[in-house]
Amino acid sequence: MLGTKAKVGRKQLLLFTSMILCSLALGRGAVQTSEPVVQVAENKPAKLSCSYSGFSSPRVEWKFAHGDITSLVCYNNKITVPPSKPTITVPASAAIGTRAVLTCSETDGSPPSEYFWFKDGVLMPTEPKNNRAFSNSSYSLNHKTGELIFDPVSASDAGDYTCEAQNGYGSPMKSDTVHMDAVELNVGGIVAAVLVTLILLGVLIFGIWFAYNRGYFDRAKKGTSNKKVIYSQPTARRDGEFRQTSSFLV
């Protein structure tokens, strides 16, 4: 007896029936099921079972038949789910000569999906230098993680990018297309800003040196040290008479 459980979702039928087929690929024998029709509500677990005999080392698969389409549901005691539409992150623009990272991912595929990138509708090869159309690009492509890294970005990397996810079950799914521009790095502006900063710093240092050589700092110190404080004692006063009681002279 072989059984499996599956949770029915919106991507499948509202009524999950025994049109799921239990097939055994090797040898000849008998395959039977005690419940030819199983009906469950959406998003509820369903238990399907079948028994077989006359097979020495069978390969057991559960498949879902819907019209003319048959897709694998369970193999090696693991539920398979086709990939969903992947999401991608692509910078709107990347400076030529810098590093740019593009990502692609989806979470529904089981087993995990592999990812393939397209530029202007053309599949990007894993090794760009071996393809004439991408020989001017310097990038690395990871089919497992979905990362596409340009290092460095070149002018030819500008274009429309799309990612495709596939895991061997169901149809491959493509993401939306996103455009990336490759822009020139403003080297002249950076150099000008650095030069202006250095000039201002030089003027400040020269001003301090000039003031020190002219003795402005020494005069300021002497002026402070020469100041004296004179305190006069209060004088006696008669009743009703106003007199200054004390004074300071600096």
Side-chain angles (χ1 to χ4, degrees):
M1 176 72 70
L2 179 69
T4 187
K5 290 184 177 180
K7 190 173 183 179
V8 183
R10 294 185 180 275
K11 295 181 181 179
Q12 298 170 338
L13 298 179
L14 292 178
L15 295 179
F16 197 71
T17 73
S18 63
M19 292 181 67
I20 292 183
L21 309 176
C22 178
S23 65
L24 298 101
L26 300 178
R28 294 182 178 181
V31 179
Q32 296 178 344
T33 178
S34 59
E35 296 182 84
V37 177
V38 177
Q39 292 186 344
V40 294
E42 184 184 16
N43 292 322
K44 298 295 182 180
K47 183 176 182 179
L48 308 175
S49 62
C50 72
S51 60
Y52 57 86
S53 61
F55 300 96
S56 57
S57 54
R59 167 176 167 167
V60 180
E61 298 176 350
W62 285 89
K63 294 182 179 180
F64 177 68
H66 184 210
D68 297 332
I69 300 176
T70 301
S71 57
L72 187 65
V73 174
C74 181
Y75 169 65
N76 197 23
N77 293 326
K78 294 182 179 179
I79 299 294
T80 58
V81 178
S84 57
K85 181 179 179 180
T87 58
I88 61 175
T89 57
V90 178
S93 62
I96 296 175
T98 62
R99 185 174 184 265
V101 179
L102 285 66
T103 64
C104 176
S105 63
E106 65 86 24
T107 58
D108 291 333
S110 177
S113 296
E114 290 190 344
Y115 303 95
F116 300 86
W117 283 91
F118 295 79
K119 178 179 179 288
D120 297 329
V122 179
L123 178 65
M124 300 180 68
T126 305
E127 297 294 336
K129 300 305 180 184
N130 298 334
N131 189 296
R132 181 176 298 179
F134 295 90
S135 59
N136 293 328
S137 294
S138 296
Y139 65 79
S140 60
L141 199 163
N142 191 320
H143 294 291
K144 299 295 184 182
T145 63
E147 277 194 343
L148 173 60
I149 301 177
F150 293 95
D151 194 9
V153 174
S154 64
S156 61
D157 295 327
D160 296 328
Y161 288 88
T162 310
C163 174
E164 181 181 86
Q166 55 179 271
N167 67 350
Y169 302 100
S171 301
M173 297 295 291
K174 282 190 175 182
S175 69
D176 293 330
T177 300
V178 180
H179 183 79
M180 183 181 78
D181 284 323
V183 297
E184 292 284 352
L185 188 64
N186 189 5
V187 179
I190 296 176
V191 172
V194 172
L195 290 177
V196 170
T197 303
L198 292 176
I199 291 173
L200 293 177
L201 183 61
V203 170
L204 177 63
I205 294 175
F206 176 78
I208 295 174
W209 173 83
F210 183 82
Y212 183 82
N213 284 342
R214 289 289 183 174
Y216 293 135
F217 293 111
D218 293 337
R219 293 175 185 175
K221 291 180 180 178
K222 290 179 180 179
T224 302
S225 60
N226 289 335
K227 291 182 180 181
K228 295 182 180 180
V229 178
I230 302 176
Y231 173 73
S232 61
Q233 293 291 336
T235 57
R237 63 178 181 178
R238 300 175 183 177
D239 294 339
E241 180 183 8
F242 172 79
R243 288 187 180 182
Q244 180 179 343
T245 57
S246 62
S247 63
F248 287 89
L249 177 62
V250 179

